[in-house]
Every structure is written in C-alpha cells, then in structure tokens.
Amino acid sequence: MPVAVPRSVFSGHSLLDARRSKMQLSDSVTHKNGRQRKVTAPQENMRHADYICNTTLEVEEALLQGPDNEDNGHPKVVHGIKGELGNVALLLFLYVLQGIPLGLAGSIPLILQGKNVSYKDQAFFSFVFWPFSLKLLWAPLVDALYVTRFGRRKSWLVPTQYLLGLFMLYLSVTVDILLKSEGGKGPDVITLTAVFFMLSFLAATQDIAVDGWALTMLSRENVGYASTCNSVGQTAGYFLGNVLFLALESADFCNKYIRAQPKATGLVTLSEFLFFWGMVFLVSTTLVAIMKKETARGQHGRRKVREDTQSVMETYKLLVSIIKMPSVFTFCSMLLTAKIGFSAADAVTGLKLVEAGVPKEQLALLAVPMVPLQILLPLIISKYTAGPRPLDVFYKAFPFRLLIGLGYALLVWWTPSLKEEGGFPVYYYGIVLFSYALHQVALYSMYVALMAFNAKVSDPVIGGTYMTLLNTVTNLGGNWPSTLALWLVDPLTSTECQGAAGQSCKSPVEAGLCVKEGGACVTTLDGYYVESVVCVVIGLSWWLWQGKRMKRLQDESPAAWKCRIAQ
C-alpha cells in the first residue's frame, strides 16, 4: 500500500501498499521494482551474485544523466516541462487506468457484505489485494523479457492493458450473476476472487512497465514528474473505481443528492461501470500501441542510453544475497509480525459497520476529506524521521494505533444503538471521521518512519532492489494478518437459535432450519470483539518484546546493512 473501504477508510492499505511497494531512494541509480542493470565483468575470484552487491551501476546513472549532458557533442539544452507535457499527460493517464481496477476490487467486499457472505468468504477475497505487495517476485521477468522491435515497455504494457479490458468486459456480462444470491446460495466468491485477482495482478504488472517507461519517457530534468503522475493518477483512479462508483451505484445516495425524482436504482450499475472502463482500456491501449513509439532518441532529438538488463537469475541471486544478511533477516522477521496487533481493526471494522447498517457509499465518501490530511501528514512527520533514529517515531506511535483499534471496537458496538429510521445522525459520521483521522495520524507516523529507515539502511549501490525488497516484506506483513483476521471471525463467533427448541446455528444449513422452525439466530459472542482484544494483547506483547529490539537496529553500524564480497 494496500479489503476495500475497510482498507482505505480504516487503514489506508489499498493505495498505501501500492505506493510503498515502489518507494525507493530519491537519488537511487537503480530501477524500481528490483530491476537492475548490467555492470562490467567481475574479477575472477568474485562470485557473481556477491559482486553485484558491491559494484556501482554506472550504466543506470547514465540512463538518468547521460542524455542531457550532451547530444552528439553539443551541450545540453534545458527545454522545461512544456516540451514534454504530452508524455506527462500519458503517464498520468496510465496511472489513472491502473487505479481503476484497484478501486473496483476495493468496492466488492462492501457489496458482498450487503449480501451476507461469511467472513471466511471475505478472507478468501482478500487475496485479491496481495499482488501489489508481491510484484517484486515477477518484476525481473517484466524487465528482462520483451520484443525489441515493438518496444521494451510496450511489450508488457499493451497486452497487459488489453487483458485488463477484456477481463472487465467479461465481468460486465457475468458480475450480476456472480453476485446474485438465489436458492439459499450466496455469491460465487471463488470466481469473483479469481477474476479480480487477475485484475490486480495485471494492474501490478502494468505498474512495473509504466514505472520503467517513466524513467526513459521523460528527460532527466523532468523525470521527477513521474512520481507526481504516479501519486495523483493512481489516487484519482482509485477514487473513480471506488468512491465515485459506490456513490453513483447507490440508489439512496442518488435519490438524496442527485435526482429530483427517486428511483429504485443508482445512476450506474456495476456491470455498466465495468463495460465502460473495459472499452476505455481497449481503445486507449490501441491508440498507445499505434501512436506512441519507443524510439532510440529522447525528446528534442537527444540520444538515449541503451538499457542493458542483467539476467533474471542474477536479479534473484541479488535478492537472496540481501535477505541472507543478518541485520536484514532480523528486520524482515520483525516486519512480518509487527502488524498482527492491527489486523482486526484494519481488516474487519469497515465490514462490521456495513453489517450494522452504515451505508457503504457513506463510508467510502469519508475518505474524501482525509485526502488533504494524507498529503500533509508525510510532510509533517518527515521532520521527525529525517534524523538518525526514525524508528523512534514508529515505536512511539505503535501503542496509540493499538488503542485506536480498541476504539474502533467500541464504535462498532455503539453503532446499532444510534441507527434511526432515516439512517444515522450527522454527529455519528463526525465521530467516525474523527476516529479515522486519529488512525491516519498513527498509521502515517509508522509508515513514514519505516520508509525513512528503509532509505537510511538501503545500500545506495543497489538502492532500488534493496528498498523494494524491504517494502515488499512490509506490505506482506500487513496482508497475511488481515486475511487471517477475516478468516477467524466466524470460528470465534458464537450463535444460538432462540425460539426453536433443539435447533442450532452452527452452519448456514442449521441456521436455515432454525428460521424455518420459527426461531431466530442470535449472536451471543461476536468474534470481532474477541479478535480486537486478542490482537491488542498480541500487539502490546510485540511492542514490549520486539519494539525495543527493532529500535536497537538503528544502532547497527552502516557496514551491517551493506552487501559484502564473499571471501
């Protein structure tokens, strides 16, 4: 970053995971997503993978600096951004397209929750959000395999976006059937998960290709705009696919704020929305394939450095070499377990609020006023993480985020008592918004601190691969506890059949018999509250046991984080 609105409104993981997975040193001479460049031949007594860890990647630096230093012997001419507005607009559009499937995938859990699916089904669907956290695993393939005549980045971008469009068109025809609940059968969660997982996987692959293309599409003086296009475009795409869609799909929202005459449906349906964006993907990809060329010369006729890619196996050996370092291995182990304490609050709270009757579109809209805060928080927090001990901020924010998780549990418990005939009072949404704002402060404090520490310890020689590896582990450390938390809600929940003697509610079939006999299934113990308490206990234990140990990693010498040549 990066379940849907629960993950965006209550944790920020959906987009945060996507952004974190591509964060790297601002002055890094390596490509994003673990992509590396060839270097000169190693000495005979050096093992190749270990040599890579210690060799300056000069070709990569030339990629970012060479084209502007001279053009056939002539001094460089700075043309400014005006000459490259077309490329900036294209990058922005490609990142917007990337955010659309992410936003749509984020809206599905809330739609499923309105159809009373089990939390095990929600846990199964949560695997949809894993690809952006794991894209480092196949990024070397995207970087190394391509058709030279067609273009290095277009070789992956064009087929990936065509597939995204085709999957959306397929879903536009089948999604209503997949979501229907007929004859006691719920939505087809397995097929939905498979299709949306492919959408997420393809979006992550498109992201790898666009990231690489951005570094060569723009000249050196303007390459900084690539990160702006990424942040703005992906956020805008997620907003369109999630917040805007949920609002326009809601009949209540449209009747209340848009229409003069009420109707039973919203302005758009999910199938119509998918069809529209599927066509946008197909048409725009065709135009890019035909009209945008990957030439051997940059803007204004400047030459471009040839991109020589090291082999796929060399890149994977490099990753293994980094992980085997004791300091890195210890740090990664901590990253994989640090977020267990937040999993119930992050993954389940939003779904529980929907279950309690809070309109899903209202929850989605609460993310809008948080955008300025999410922009300002990193700027403010970075003042405290810029020094030699950024993890101190992480350590201090940790218990506050745990307490906010308990506050979420109290909010969920309080919500049903506030429900009125016309919905919920305005002050209730104010309380939810305030709770969300507090959560964002704690979340971004930990997020910025980790990013600062990752940048601090990453070996600058291989900064791109190093940081992307750490960010991948950080994302994975948030994904697996969230999936597990969703999976355990149902087993930890106790229900009993009241009003029908001899019946139980241990399974959907038994619950149906209970209702058929005139009874009702009543929850006597909600697994969400059990998880909330257990997670906080685990989180506090981690903080007391591992928190100080993580802080001590800041005292390690710089040499402990650098790759070494094997003797």
Side-chain angles (χ1 to χ4, degrees):
M1 343 115 238
V3 182
V5 172
R7 296 169 68 88
S8 59
V9 171
F10 289 94
S11 71
H13 284 311
S14 263
L15 276 180
L16 211 57
D17 287 356
R19 291 171 186 166
R20 187 191 292 119
S21 68
K22 65 212 301 175
M23 288 287 290
Q24 62 178 37
L25 292 170
S26 58
D27 297 324
S28 172
V29 296
T30 57
H31 256 283
K32 297 179 181 180
N33 301 307
R35 297 191 286 277
Q36 302 293 321
R37 301 296 173 202
K38 279 185 178 179
V39 293
T40 54
Q43 299 176 13
E44 292 182 1
N45 62 344
M46 295 182 184
R47 290 194 314 183
H48 188 62
D50 295 315
Y51 172 79
I52 296 173
C53 292
N54 295 272
T55 308
T56 302
L57 306 178
E58 296 175 351
V59 175
E60 182 71 24
E61 188 171 17
L63 176 64
L64 297 182
Q65 297 180 353
D68 298 307
N69 291 334
E70 60 179 36
D71 184 14
N72 296 327
H74 298 290
K76 75 170 184 178
V77 178
V78 178
H79 296 273
I81 190 61
K82 290 186 178 180
E84 296 191 276
L85 284 177
N87 285 339
V88 171
L90 175 60
L91 284 175
L92 182 63
F93 178 70
L94 292 175
Y95 281 120
V96 169
L97 290 183
Q98 184 186 120
I100 296 296
L102 292 178
L104 283 170
S107 67
I108 296 300
L110 296 181
I111 295 175
L112 291 175
Q113 194 67 10
K115 297 180 179 295
N116 299 316
V117 300
S118 69
Y119 281 93
K120 285 188 177 180
D121 287 334
Q122 293 282 14
F124 190 76
F125 188 84
S126 70
F127 284 106
V128 165
F129 303 101
W130 286 48
F132 261 90
S133 300
L134 300 173
K135 64 182 181 179
L136 180 63
L137 297 178
W138 67 91
L141 297 174
V142 176
D143 197 60
L145 306 176
Y146 56 93
V147 179
T148 304
R149 292 187 61 183
F150 188 56
R152 179 174 191 171
R153 308 305 173 186
K154 286 170 61 178
S155 294
W156 286 91
L157 180 74
V158 171
T160 296
Q161 291 197 169
Y162 271 134
L163 287 173
L164 278 165
L166 291 174
F167 268 103
M168 287 186 175
L169 291 181
Y170 165 76
L171 270 174
S172 70
V173 178
T174 61
V175 71
D176 290 336
I177 299 173
L178 296 175
L179 286 172
K180 279 184 178 178
S181 301
E182 294 181 350
K185 293 181 61 178
D188 188 350
V189 176
I190 294 178
T191 304
L192 282 169
T193 301
V195 177
F196 275 96
F197 183 90
M198 283 304 303
L199 284 177
S200 184
F201 174 81
L202 291 169
T205 305
Q206 187 254 28
D207 180 51
I208 298 169
V210 176
D211 284 349
W213 201 1
L215 296 181
T216 56
M217 188 185 295
L218 300 179
S219 58
R220 182 191 172 219
E221 66 264 23
N222 295 322
V223 75
Y225 286 97
S227 62
T228 303
C229 292
N230 174 2
S231 178
V232 174
Q234 198 178 74
T235 301
Y238 191 91
F239 178 87
L240 291 173
N242 187 281
V243 179
L244 183 64
F245 162 70
L246 288 172
L248 296 182
E249 186 262 349
S250 169
D252 291 338
F253 181 87
C254 294
N255 292 337
K256 187 175 182 180
Y257 298 106
I258 300 177
R259 292 191 179 118
Q261 296 294 329
K263 292 185 179 180
T265 60
L267 290 178
V268 299
T269 63
L270 179 56
S271 61
E272 292 170 345
F273 196 83
L274 284 163
F275 180 82
F276 172 79
W277 284 108
M279 293 303 300
V280 169
F281 267 90
L282 295 180
V283 173
S284 61
T285 303
T286 301
L287 293 176
V288 170
I290 296 174
M291 302 180 65
K292 184 62 179 177
K293 306 294 183 183
E294 288 189 60
T295 62
R297 302 183 70 81
Q299 291 291 319
H300 311 292
R302 289 174 294 200
R303 65 178 176 80
K304 295 175 70 176
V305 175
R306 184 169 63 92
E307 297 182 82
D308 290 327
T309 309
Q310 70 180 53
S311 74
V312 175
M313 289 306 300
E314 288 169 355
T315 303
Y316 287 126
K317 288 178 181 178
L318 171 59
L319 294 174
V320 173
S321 298
I322 297 172
I323 295 173
K324 288 168 64 177
M325 296 162 55
S327 296
V328 174
F329 185 83
T330 299
F331 185 47
C332 287
S333 300
M334 293 180 179
L335 291 176
L336 286 173
T337 56
K339 296 181 182 177
I340 296 175
F342 316 127
S343 56
D346 290 356
V348 189
T349 299
L351 298 177
K352 280 294 177 181
L353 291 179
V354 173
E355 184 180 313
V358 181
K360 59 183 181 297
E361 65 276 6
Q362 295 291 351
L363 280 181
L365 287 170
L366 288 178
V368 177
M370 287 296 101
V371 172
L373 181 65
Q374 292 169 341
I375 294 173
L376 292 174
L377 278 176
L379 299 176
I380 297 171
I381 297 168
S382 62
K383 296 179 181 179
Y384 302 95
T385 60
R389 302 187 63 83
L391 290 183
D392 288 355
V393 175
F394 178 94
Y395 181 79
K396 292 175 181 178
F398 197 99
F400 288 101
R401 188 172 170 188
L402 290 174
L403 292 176
I404 292 170
L406 285 180
Y408 276 175
L410 289 174
L411 179 65
V412 171
W413 173 80
W414 187 44
T415 295
S417 64
L418 296 178
K419 189 174 183 180
E420 302 172 348
E421 185 175 345
F424 290 85
V426 175
Y427 72 84
Y428 170 77
Y429 290 109
I431 293 172
V432 174
L433 190 63
F434 178 71
S435 302
Y436 176 35
L438 288 179
H439 183 268
Q440 292 296 289
V441 173
L443 183 147
Y444 271 87
S445 295
M446 296 175 64
Y447 166 69
V448 175
L450 280 178
M451 293 303 100
F453 184 73
N454 290 352
K456 176 178 176 288
V457 302
S458 295
D459 191 335
V461 173
I462 50 171
T465 297
Y466 208 123
M467 277 201 72
T468 305
L469 172 64
L470 294 180
N471 296 334
T472 296
V473 175
T474 303
N475 292 343
L476 187 59
N479 279 330
W480 78 261
S482 294
T483 298
L484 183 62
L486 287 166
W487 193 275
L488 290 176
V489 171
D490 286 337
L492 293 175
T493 298
S494 297
T495 57
E496 64 179 28
C497 181
Q498 295 182 358
Q503 300 296 329
S504 67
C505 299
K506 294 181 180 179
S507 69
V509 175
E510 291 175 326
L513 290 175
C514 172
V515 174
K516 188 176 180 180
E517 294 293 327
C521 289
V522 178
T523 299
T524 56
L525 179 64
D526 195 323
Y528 167 68
Y529 301 120
V530 177
E531 282 191 1
S532 296
V533 174
V534 171
C535 283
V536 169
V537 171
I538 293 175
L540 284 175
S541 301
W542 189 97
W543 182 64
L544 293 171
W545 177 47
Q546 295 281 17
K548 293 182 179 179
R549 187 183 176 194
M550 178 178 276
K551 285 177 62 179
R552 287 196 294 271
L553 289 175
Q554 299 172 118
D555 301 326
E556 296 275 0
S557 66
W561 301 94
K562 294 185 182 298
C563 294
R564 298 178 177 84
I565 300 175
Q567 299 298 325

